[in-house]
Amino acid sequence: MRDAYHEELDSIGEGLVEMARLVGSAIGRATTAILDSDLKLAETVIEGDKKVDDLQHDLEARAIALLARQQPVATDLRIVVTSLRMSADLERSGDLAQHVAKLARLRFPERAVPQDLHATILEMGQLAQRLMAKAAEVIVTKDIDLAMQLEQDDDEMDLLHRTLFQHLIDDRWKHGIETAVDVTLLGRYYERYADHAVAVAKRVVYLVTGEHADDLQQDIPPVTRVEGA
Amino acid sequence: MRDAYHEELDSIGEGLVEMARLVGSAIGRATTAILDSDLKLAETVIEGDKKVDDLQHDLEARAIALLARQQPVATDLRIVVTSLRMSADLERSGDLAQHVAKLARLRFPERAVPQDLHATILEMGQLAQRLMAKAAEVIVTKDIDLAMQLEQDDDEMDLLHRTLFQHLIDDRWKHGIETAVDVTLLGRYYERYADHAVAVAKRVVYLVTGEHADDLQQDIPPVTRVEGA
């Protein structure tokens, strides 16, 4: 009985890794789609999100069934409850990748991102994808040091976000309001995506160490932070 | 034993209602703070969010202890797991109210919202507060009809959000890029706040009917919807 139980627990972990893999690929493709104005690629991200949602529903149902059937306590209980939270983070990351892709579709055949911000958005997209890849690795390896690295990567994301805002409020901005709105939302999507990846890694830390990381929910927009509020 | 158990379950429900009350008040005060450029009021929201976070941690700890001690099944298990999710929605709503307040603080003594958008932002703030009040009422009464009303209110929020974006991308916009960025973020905060209130109500529906509302996670930005993507 305990073996079937731990198999089920493992398969929940595998489901989380699969979700992370899908939403990592999604943010990478969404970034390419928005930079290249590639409608077909954008559509694959938009349609692909359903699979992420299905995986989450499936994973939740299995987690709840496990709670009901096996009534785990202590560490095992903590694993199941934390898995529910991680699946919510991953599902939300998928939504955010989808938002990027929808913006690409909305502006097609135009490009939503002006040329002088391409490098910054590309870097944000790549960093987001890397953060999610590391989060998946943390789920598998339970490597606390790697989990800690994600926080540093997230600082890098904040820096990129700040760069983006500085471009926006620069007097020389010449791309108009609509593009400013698009870029503001894009920046927010990448930043929130990164927050969720970091949250996933921190939840693993909590599982391993039993200690809550307090700053899971920090997502003060960098425009606020830059200017000293 | 079962009585102590149901008392504990009730007290978790009361904790959720208290969280909803706090974050409802927070979004109301944050809206006044940003419209009046009231620094002191903004500070009360920013500092008050700690209490919401504390309540959530406390509520989570009690829910997990309940799972471990009482090992509920069926409906009771569903209530506890759903409560965990609701507390996450409410905590996040508090963050969003705090973001509005931080923007008020950042722009003080200037006003972040230009006069011609005051009415729209006021309406978004009031609607957000009303949505949360209804969500709290749904937690208490388990009134499915009321829960359904929240979806209509949310449509109203989408409409307001669209109005906001139409103002932004109107050629006559004369408030500059920084204000456009502020208003874009504000619109997003209110819309997400409303989404979380609706999610709380829908989770109650799920508890009562056992049926999942599929569209819990929809938060496609209205700029996308307006323009037909």
Side-chain angles (χ1 to χ4, degrees):
Chain A
M1 197 61 182
R2 291 300 288 177
D3 271 5
Y5 169 64
H6 280 100
E7 259 172 39
E8 182 65 8
L9 211 53
D10 286 348
S11 98
I12 287 175
E14 283 158 20
L16 290 172
V17 173
E18 173 66 1
M19 283 183 80
R21 198 188 61 72
L22 287 173
V23 301
S25 164
I27 199 72
R29 280 178 293 131
T31 303
T32 305
I34 203 150
L35 292 177
D36 295 353
S37 189
D38 184 331
L39 182 60
K40 278 193 183 161
L41 194 60
E43 298 280 10
T44 69
V45 177
I46 294 162
E47 283 153 27
D49 195 50
K50 201 193 163 306
K51 196 172 171 194
V52 177
D53 294 346
D54 289 346
L55 263 173
Q56 194 210 6
H57 281 150
D58 176 52
L59 208 142
E60 282 190 357
R62 284 191 290 142
I64 291 172
L66 197 68
L67 285 176
R69 235 181 11 247
Q70 304 279 357
Q71 312 202 318
V73 294
T75 306
D76 285 347
L77 173 60
R78 217 159 58 175
I79 292 174
V80 178
V81 170
T82 304
S83 298
L84 284 170
R85 289 195 187 122
M86 289 199 270
S87 80
D89 281 313
L90 293 168
E91 191 274 337
R92 186 78 202 127
S93 306
D95 287 347
L96 291 161
Q98 196 188 35
H99 288 354
V100 173
K102 283 190 171 167
L103 194 58
R105 181 171 72 176
L106 175 68
R107 298 300 172 218
F108 178 84
E110 302 295 314
R111 293 173 189 214
V113 179
Q115 195 59 47
D116 52 342
L117 284 176
H118 262 225
T120 307
I121 293 291
L122 178 62
E123 220 176 320
M124 290 180 94
Q126 289 180 337
L127 182 58
Q129 193 173 359
R130 219 154 59 227
L131 272 160
M132 196 53 81
K134 284 189 189 174
E137 198 178 323
V138 169
I139 297 173
V140 175
T141 61
K142 300 185 178 53
D143 181 337
I144 303 295
D145 293 333
L146 184 61
M148 290 303 159
Q149 260 187 43
L150 268 89
E151 282 199 74
Q152 284 163 27
D153 292 338
D154 195 39
D155 291 343
E156 211 182 304
M157 182 64 90
D158 289 343
L159 212 63
L160 286 166
H161 202 183
R162 254 173 277 183
T163 307
L164 205 63
F165 274 107
Q166 271 153 0
H167 259 94
L168 277 169
I169 60 173
D170 190 304
D171 288 338
R172 286 160 298 175
W173 178 264
K174 55 181 188 295
H175 306 293
I177 298 288
E178 186 175 84
T179 301
V181 169
D182 286 352
V183 168
T184 301
L185 289 174
L186 269 181
R188 180 93 185 135
Y189 299 152
Y190 284 113
E191 197 215 6
R192 289 297 295 151
Y193 183 101
D195 286 339
H196 286 292
V198 173
V200 166
K202 284 195 177 168
R203 294 191 203 285
V204 176
V205 174
Y206 167 67
L207 278 182
V208 174
T209 66
E211 274 171 40
H212 250 306
D214 269 322
D215 43 354
L216 275 183
Q217 303 285 356
Q218 285 188 350
D219 72 328
I220 304 145
V223 66
T224 310
R225 274 180 265 173
V226 175
E227 299 184 46
Chain B
M1 198 60 181
R2 292 299 290 177
D3 269 7
Y5 169 63
H6 282 100
E7 259 172 40
E8 181 66 8
L9 211 53
D10 286 348
S11 98
I12 288 175
E14 283 157 20
L16 290 172
V17 174
E18 173 67 3
M19 284 182 80
R21 199 189 61 73
L22 287 173
V23 302
S25 164
I27 198 74
R29 279 179 293 132
T31 303
T32 305
I34 203 149
L35 292 178
D36 296 354
S37 188
D38 185 331
L39 181 61
K40 279 195 180 158
L41 194 60
E43 298 280 9
T44 69
V45 177
I46 295 161
E47 283 153 26
D49 194 51
K50 201 194 163 303
K51 195 169 172 199
V52 177
D53 294 348
D54 289 347
L55 263 173
Q56 193 211 5
H57 281 150
D58 176 53
L59 207 144
E60 283 190 357
R62 284 191 291 142
I64 291 172
L66 196 69
L67 285 176
R69 239 184 4 249
Q70 303 279 358
Q71 313 203 318
V73 293
T75 305
D76 285 348
L77 173 59
R78 219 160 58 175
I79 292 174
V80 178
V81 171
T82 304
S83 298
L84 284 169
R85 289 193 188 123
M86 289 199 271
S87 79
D89 281 312
L90 293 168
E91 190 275 336
R92 186 77 202 126
S93 305
D95 287 347
L96 291 161
Q98 195 188 37
H99 289 353
V100 173
K102 282 190 172 167
L103 194 58
R105 181 172 71 178
L106 175 67
R107 297 300 172 220
F108 178 85
E110 302 295 313
R111 292 174 189 214
V113 179
Q115 194 59 46
D116 52 342
L117 284 175
H118 262 224
T120 308
I121 293 292
L122 177 61
E123 219 175 323
M124 291 180 93
Q126 288 179 338
L127 182 58
Q129 193 173 357
R130 220 154 58 229
L131 272 160
M132 195 53 81
K134 285 188 188 175
E137 198 178 323
V138 169
I139 298 174
V140 175
T141 61
K142 300 184 179 53
D143 180 338
I144 303 297
D145 293 333
L146 184 62
M148 291 303 159
Q149 261 187 43
L150 269 89
E151 281 197 75
Q152 285 165 25
D153 293 339
D154 196 37
D155 290 343
E156 211 183 305
M157 182 63 91
D158 289 344
L159 212 63
L160 287 166
H161 202 183
R162 254 173 276 180
T163 306
L164 204 64
F165 275 109
Q166 270 153 1
H167 260 92
L168 278 169
I169 59 174
D170 190 304
D171 287 340
R172 286 160 297 176
W173 178 265
K174 55 181 190 292
H175 307 293
I177 297 288
E178 187 175 83
T179 301
V181 169
D182 287 351
V183 169
T184 301
L185 289 174
L186 269 181
R188 180 97 186 132
Y189 298 153
Y190 285 113
E191 197 215 7
R192 289 297 296 150
Y193 184 100
D195 286 341
H196 286 292
V198 173
V200 166
K202 284 196 175 168
R203 293 189 204 283
V204 175
V205 174
Y206 167 66
L207 279 182
V208 174
T209 67
E211 273 171 40
H212 251 305
D214 269 321
D215 42 354
L216 275 183
Q217 304 285 352
Q218 285 188 351
D219 72 327
I220 304 146
V223 67
T224 310
R225 274 178 264 170
V226 176
E227 297 183 47

